[in-house]
């Protein structure tokens, strides 16, 4: 039996006040993680605060060289956005290949980033593009956000309101998906940014991470051959029935080469 109080506030302030007042409150965006967790009885919150009615958390805005996406914007909306496709085509393509149609029409960018699932796609884009995560309290740089397995820099009672992505002169994302879940066994997002090349990996470790050796190589020569000989250590990488740490380490190099080639 489910036993929690359900709330659907219409403002960020009300949502934060409600979750702080609860003894064990949980914010719910698209519910793609929380609902299965509840079904498996792995979480028993006292209160569930549904963010679906907060209009201020939805929408896409392009301002100069920055694309800002509201936290409750669905994957399908990012994928279908002509503005995103024009400004950062790689981000639109990433969104179009998240899960299946049902997931894309329910899951949200803010929920995905806040959850920091080790195999989620968006964290790689956040890191590679050097995005800024805006919350109800502050702005957090991408490099400071992801801390570990399902762990971020978000504090108790803090929620993502939007994510701002700087455009890049070149960018691409390539992933090796699990054939059943379509989660990334390994995904690599590469970008030529104003501050230089950035390479971010998802699926391989406890959370998304950058590969400095590849970034340094691409700064000298932007080509697939530049990263072909760079190996990521298998120590500390994920291992399961779908792939060993060594296999995932190999896939990082393979996906990085493909991403660089796709970026042009």
């Amino acid at each position: 039996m489910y036993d929690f109080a359900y709330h659907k506030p219409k403002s960020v302030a009300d949502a934060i006040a409600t979750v702080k007042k609860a003894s064990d409150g949980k914010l719910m965006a698209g519910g793609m993680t929380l609902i299965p967790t509840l079904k498996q009885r792995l979480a028993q919150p006292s209160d569930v605060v549904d963010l679906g009615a907060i209009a201020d958390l939805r929408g896409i805005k392009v301002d100069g060289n920055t694309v800002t996406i509201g936290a409750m914007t669905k994957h399908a909306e990012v994928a279908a956005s002509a503005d995103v496709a024009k400004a950062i085509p790689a981000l639109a393509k990433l969104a179009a290949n998240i899960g299946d149609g049902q997931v894309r029409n329910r899951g949200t960018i803010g929920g995905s980033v806040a959850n920091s699932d080790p195999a989620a796609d968006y964290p790689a884009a956040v890191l590679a593009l050097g995005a800024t995560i805006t919350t109800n309290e502050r702005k957090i740089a991408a490099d400071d956000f992801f801390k570990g397995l399902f762990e971020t820099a978000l504090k108790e009672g803090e929620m993502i309101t939007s994510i701002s992505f700087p455009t890049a002169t070149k960018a691409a994302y390539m992933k090796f998906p699990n054939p059943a879940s379509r989660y990334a066994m390994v995904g690599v997002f590469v970008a030529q940014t104003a501050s230089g090349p950035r390479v971010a990996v998802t699926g391989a470790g406890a959370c998304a991470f950058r590969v400095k050796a590849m970034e340094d190589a691409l700064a000298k020569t932007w080509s697939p051959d530049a990263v072909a000989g760079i190996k990521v250590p298998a120590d500390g990488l994920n291992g399961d029935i779908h792939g060993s740490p060594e296999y995932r380490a190999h896939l990082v190099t393979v996906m990085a080469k493909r991403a660089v080639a796709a970026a042009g």
Side-chain angles (χ1 to χ4, degrees):
M1 176 182 288
Y2 300 107
D3 185 16
F4 57 77
Y6 175 78
H7 311 269
K8 199 166 187 177
K10 294 186 178 180
S11 73
V12 171
D14 287 346
I16 294 301
T18 302
V19 79
K20 283 185 174 181
K21 189 188 306 180
S23 59
D24 182 21
K26 298 293 183 185
L27 296 171
M28 182 174 73
M32 295 296 91
T33 297
L34 182 59
I35 290 176
T37 302
L38 291 172
K39 287 183 176 180
Q40 295 177 66
R41 304 300 192 267
L42 296 175
Q44 294 182 316
S46 62
D47 298 73
V48 171
V49 182
D50 186 347
L51 305 177
I54 305 178
D56 290 345
L57 294 178
R58 296 195 298 273
I60 297 168
K61 178 183 177 182
V62 178
D63 184 7
N65 295 323
T66 303
V67 178
T68 299
I69 303 175
M72 286 297 291
T73 305
K74 296 173 182 177
H75 310 322
E77 293 171 322
V78 177
S81 169
D83 288 336
V84 177
K86 181 179 179 181
I88 313 176
L91 186 60
K93 184 177 179 181
L94 178 153
N97 287 284
I98 294 175
D100 54 25
Q102 290 178 310
V103 169
R104 290 191 292 274
N105 281 282
R106 287 295 304 173
T108 67
I109 186 171
S112 174
V113 173
N115 193 43
S116 188
D117 188 299
D121 297 293
Y122 275 125
V126 169
L127 268 183
L129 291 167
T132 298
I133 297 94
T134 300
T135 76
N136 58 303
E137 296 184 7
R138 56 182 170 146
K139 295 182 183 294
I140 309 171
D143 288 329
D144 299 325
F145 188 78
F146 301 105
K147 299 296 186 181
L149 184 68
F150 299 108
E151 182 184 1
T152 71
L154 292 173
K155 300 180 294 185
E156 195 73 26
E158 185 177 19
M159 62 179 280
I160 296 174
T161 56
S162 65
I163 302 172
S164 296
F165 297 88
T167 58
T169 55
K170 298 178 182 180
Y173 177 65
M174 287 289 168
K175 73 172 176 178
F176 190 92
N178 179 298
S181 68
R182 301 181 194 178
Y183 269 105
M185 286 183 59
V186 167
V188 179
F189 199 115
V190 301
Q192 181 64 273
T193 72
S195 60
R198 292 172 68 100
V199 178
V201 178
T202 191
C207 64
F209 62 90
R210 290 171 61 188
V211 184
K212 188 176 185 302
M214 290 185 178
E215 294 173 350
D216 292 343
L218 290 173
K220 297 175 182 177
T221 306
W222 184 278
S223 78
D225 290 341
V227 298
I230 298 175
K231 307 299 181 185
V232 173
D235 292 347
L237 296 188
N238 298 331
D240 52 31
I241 60 172
H242 305 293
S244 66
E246 292 76 16
Y247 183 55
R248 281 184 165 85
H250 170 72
L251 284 177
V252 170
T253 301
V254 173
M255 294 300 110
K257 288 171 56 181
R258 292 181 184 178
V260 174

